[in-house]
């Protein structure tokens, strides 16, 4: 199976869906944040290994504890994945913290700040021109 084949894409999507369900409803570890989402999954073509990118809403401490909880529950997650999806091999799962959502939110806040600062800097210029035009009439 090639890396970008249709079958591999379908397997990635199905593993991502099942992993999200297991993390959301099957794990009872208090270290795992309820705001954990599976952003992407990449299963190797030989179905032996899998990288799962995880995003957690919260501070650095919440992210670290969630990653530790997921690593300790890896055997349970793998067993549930094997029970749910009928694959030739059940892949070993490696969890990777994905920071792209947090990065996007941070950049959005910075853009909003720049726009607000830009509007503030242009506001006095407009008021000065309007006062000058009123005085000319």
């Amino acid at each position: 199976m090639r890396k970008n084949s249709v079958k591999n894409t379908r397997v990635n999507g199905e593993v991502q869906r099942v992993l999200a369900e297991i993390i959301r409803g099957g794990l009872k570890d208090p270290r795992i944040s309820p705001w954990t989402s599976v952003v992407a999954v990449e299963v190797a073509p030989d179905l032996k290994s899998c990288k799962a990118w995880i995003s957690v809403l919260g501070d650095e401490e919440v992210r670290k504890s969630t990653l530790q909880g997921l690593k300790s529950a890896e055997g349970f997650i793998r067993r549930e994945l094997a029970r749910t999806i009928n694959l030739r091999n059940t892949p070993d799962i490696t969890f990777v913290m994905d920071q792209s959502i947090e990065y996007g939110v941070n950049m959005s806040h910075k853009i909003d700040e720049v726009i607000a600062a830009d509007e503030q800097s242009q506001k006095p210029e407009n008021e000065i021109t309007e006062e000058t035009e009123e005085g000319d009439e």
Side-chain angles (χ1 to χ4, degrees), residues 1-2 4-12 47 87-88:
M1 181 167 63
R2 292 184 322 237
N4 294 328
S5 69
V6 174
K7 182 179 178 185
N8 197 355
T9 305
R10 286 182 22 215
V11 167
N12 289 343
L47 302 175
L87 293 173
R88 181 176 53 238

Side-chain angles (χ1 to χ4, degrees), residues 17-133:
R17 184 186 66 76
V18 171
L19 273 179
E21 286 177 6
I22 293 169
I23 291 171
R24 183 178 49 243
L27 297 177
K28 295 179 176 38
D29 193 336
R31 294 178 291 182
I32 298 173
S33 169
W35 298 102
T36 303
S37 60
V38 181
V39 178
V41 170
E42 185 178 302
V43 179
D46 63 355
L47 302 175
K48 300 262 184 193
S49 64
C50 167
K51 274 189 183 179
W53 283 269
I54 304 296
S55 176
V56 179
L57 188 63
D59 61 351
E60 189 64 31
E61 184 64 33
V62 172
R63 281 189 222 109
K64 284 182 181 178
S65 66
T66 299
L67 200 55
Q68 286 175 345
L70 287 173
K71 285 183 181 179
S72 70
E74 198 172 302
F76 172 78
I77 293 171
R78 188 169 182 223
R79 186 177 70 236
E80 289 297 307
L81 187 65
R83 189 179 60 78
T84 308
I85 301 176
N86 186 17
L87 293 173
R88 181 176 53 238
N89 298 318
T90 303
D92 289 326
I93 304 167
T94 305
F95 293 104
V96 179
M97 193 57 67
D98 182 45
Q99 311 259 329
S100 63
I101 294 175
E102 180 185 345
Y103 178 78
V105 168
N106 188 20
M107 290 306 289
S108 179
H109 286 299
K110 287 183 180 181
I111 290 170
D112 291 342
E113 290 173 5
V114 168
I115 290 172
D118 191 39
E119 288 174 355
Q120 286 293 332
S121 67
Q122 290 183 4
K123 196 172 192 177
E125 292 175 8
N126 292 340
E127 290 174 359
I128 294 171
T129 358
E130 290 172 6
E131 290 173 4
T132 312
E133 290 174 2

